[in-house]
Amino acid sequence: MNAVRHDLANVRTPDLRRAVADYTEVLGFECRQHIPGVCALVAHGPLQVQLWACAATPGRWERPTPGDRGFAPGHHRVEVPRIHVLHASLRAAVLRPCRTGLGGRKPLHAHRFEGESPRWQPWGAWELTLSDIDGNVLHLIDRVAWWPDVSAQRQPGEQRMEDRS
């Protein structure tokens, strides 16, 4: 039996409450688990992100970690199925009108995606890049559209000559 592996992105954030609000209210994720000040698990369809609090002020009896330079955004590669359906759902959530009215005609969070749609890569995968409020980048990959036979490779929606009859 062939099992398709879907990764879980482990993302660090300096402000867990703000990150959970961003993922749920702006990006349309569902919060499945939240331990305040520690971690949260959010999901949007097949995409799961585990948010970890970091860069917290040391407690009363704790000492700062030597050499710790604080928070730095990360780049995370995540394999997901049906990337086009996921993109449409994420894009609909991001392009919702904002209550603040600051966006004017341009959606306030449109910059979260790199490009308008997933890109077909020559090595046989669809790729999409999404960023969160802390600057973390989620590099989403869908390898399902890859066929070992080069003559059978095509993008979804594209018809071969023999299919048109």
Side-chain angles (χ1 to χ4, degrees), residues 29-105:
F29 279 69
E30 168 196 356
C31 186
R32 294 192 175 160
Q33 181 181 25
H34 185 197
I35 302 170
V38 180
C39 69
L41 177 65
V42 294
H44 191 112
L47 176 58
Q48 293 188 10
V49 178
Q50 189 156 19
L51 301 168
W52 289 93
C54 70
T57 324
R60 182 175 177 187
W61 304 108
E62 296 173 334
R63 301 260 190 261
T65 307
D68 186 16
R69 297 190 174 120
F71 173 75
H75 189 100
H76 309 275
R77 295 176 60 91
V78 186
E79 285 200 32
V80 295
R82 302 181 334 196
I83 197 166
H84 289 84
V85 174
L86 178 63
H87 173 260
S89 180
L90 284 168
R91 190 147 184 87
V94 166
L95 296 179
R96 278 188 312 231
C98 296
R99 286 182 254 155
T100 61
L102 297 175
R105 291 180 181 252

Side-chain angles (χ1 to χ4, degrees), residues 132-151:
D132 71 5
I133 197 167
D134 295 318
N136 290 303
V137 176
L138 298 176
H139 188 92
L140 309 177
I141 303 164
D142 183 1
R143 298 178 198 271
V144 176
W146 182 78
W147 294 278
D149 180 16
V150 176
S151 64

